[in-house]
Amino acid sequence: MDSVINNKKVTTPYEKVMLARSSDRRNISDYIEELFDDFVELHGDRLYRDDPAIVGGIAMLNGEPVTVIGHKKGHNFEDNIKCNFGMASPEGYRKAVRLMKQAEKFNRPVITLLDTPGAYPGLEAETNGQSNAIAESMALMSRLKVPVIAIVTGEGSSGGALALAVADSVWMLENSVYSILSPEGFASIMWKDAKKADMAAQVMKLTAHELKALGLIDGIIPEGDKCIKALSKMISTEIKRLRQFSSSALISGRYAKFRRYGNE
């Protein structure tokens, strides 16, 4: 998808947010179909139920087995209802944790695809331990002994995105956004007016190029016809690079990476 909305070139950060949210963008099912071979989806958190807002399983990438996990959005309203608009419940993050532990056991790299407005904030989710499930996912990712690569493919907002983003290598598609919360939420908190979301988006520095300039992501994948080929090459290259490090070196490097963010 080019950086265009309604035949108008995207020029502002908030227009980039609108583009990142577009239902026309690829979702995780599309990426799995175009990037990977022999995908086998795994369901459930082994405690309560399956959460369709998080999709995960085992696949082959250029001949190597990997574990793929990510948020699921739909291409239309009906599909979005089924996957709760990509807003995961605790069961989704517990499923992700289960799959990451399995990946570590069998020495498979973990690939995560981020596209969510945030974790589901409903009463049932909070009652069932939403914050704890997110924290457990982040804590586990910080100490995984296998390579972890995170890719923001659309809207990466709040702890719902960060729960799958504690990775050795973090990349963004050029038209994606990555932020602590939505611009509307930011504007509501800062100025008590969600209509100032465009102003908030400028302040938040949430576009791929802004975050790359700040050193908060490792790279940007161009979109368009060459996107899938570029993604495949990047993931394979990063896995090969990360495979050179011992498990302890991976964990130490990951820890240092995210500690550095807090000091900038």
Side-chain angles (χ1 to χ4, degrees):
M1 177 182 291
D2 296 327
S3 300
V4 175
I5 300 177
N6 297 328
N7 297 319
K8 176 185 175 184
K9 187 175 178 60
V10 170
T11 58
T12 70
Y14 193 62
E15 288 175 340
K16 188 77 77 170
V17 172
M18 294 294 101
L19 190 59
R21 292 172 176 171
S22 172
S23 60
D24 294 332
R25 293 179 70 81
R26 290 182 176 95
N27 64 16
I28 188 171
S29 296
D30 299 318
Y31 284 111
I32 287 171
E33 181 178 350
E34 296 182 63
L35 268 175
F36 303 98
D37 296 316
D38 303 323
F39 177 70
V40 177
E41 184 174 358
L42 301 175
H43 296 274
D45 65 348
R46 297 298 185 267
L47 290 173
Y48 180 39
R49 66 178 177 92
D50 186 51
D51 181 4
I54 296 284
V55 171
I58 307 165
M60 299 295 290
L61 176 71
N62 299 325
E64 177 167 10
V66 297
T67 290
V68 185
I69 305 168
H71 305 95
K72 174 70 178 288
K73 282 186 177 180
H75 289 306
N76 53 53
F77 183 76
E78 182 179 353
D79 287 343
N80 270 317
I81 290 294
K82 294 177 182 177
C83 60
N84 202 28
F85 295 84
M87 295 185 292
S89 294
E91 301 79 45
Y93 294 113
R94 293 187 184 118
K95 174 167 65 174
V97 164
R98 180 173 74 85
L99 298 186
M100 286 187 279
K101 287 180 178 178
Q102 183 194 73
E104 183 178 65
K105 179 179 180 179
F106 292 99
N107 197 31
R108 290 193 299 264
V110 174
I111 315 299
T112 63
L113 304 175
L114 282 56
D115 187 12
T116 179
Y120 182 56
L123 177 61
E124 182 181 10
E126 297 298 335
T127 301
N128 289 342
Q130 183 71 290
S131 59
N132 189 62
I134 290 172
E136 286 183 356
S137 182
M138 293 171 63
L140 174 67
M141 293 189 81
S142 71
R143 61 178 185 268
L144 280 176
K145 297 177 181 179
V146 294
V148 185
I149 301 167
I151 306 156
V152 184
T153 62
E155 182 182 16
S157 292
S158 195
L162 190 58
L164 299 183
V166 183
D168 303 297
S169 186
V170 181
W171 290 65
M172 293 177 66
L173 298 191
E174 64 177 332
N175 294 322
S176 65
V177 294
Y178 190 28
S179 59
I180 57 171
L181 77 168
S182 69
E184 292 83 1
F186 187 99
S188 295
I189 293 170
M190 294 299 296
W191 303 302
K192 311 301 181 186
D193 186 358
K195 294 180 180 179
K196 294 183 178 180
D198 56 342
M199 185 189 306
Q202 294 182 35
V203 172
M204 293 171 72
K205 306 297 182 186
L206 43 62
T207 69
H209 291 286
E210 288 172 323
L211 293 171
K212 181 66 171 64
L214 291 170
L216 297 177
I217 63 171
D218 297 287
I220 301 171
I221 298 293
E223 298 191 35
D225 296 338
K226 298 181 179 180
C227 178
I228 295 299
K229 184 176 181 180
L231 268 175
S232 179
K233 181 179 179 180
M234 179 277 288
I235 296 171
S236 291
T237 300
E238 286 296 278
I239 290 175
K240 184 177 180 180
R241 179 181 69 85
L242 294 168
R243 284 289 197 196
Q244 300 176 46
F245 298 101
S246 66
S247 296
S248 59
L250 279 176
I251 294 170
S252 296
R254 203 178 298 142
Y255 177 82
K257 180 187 187 73
F258 282 85
R259 288 293 295 176
R260 175 175 58 82
Y261 293 167
N263 293 327
E264 291 186 348

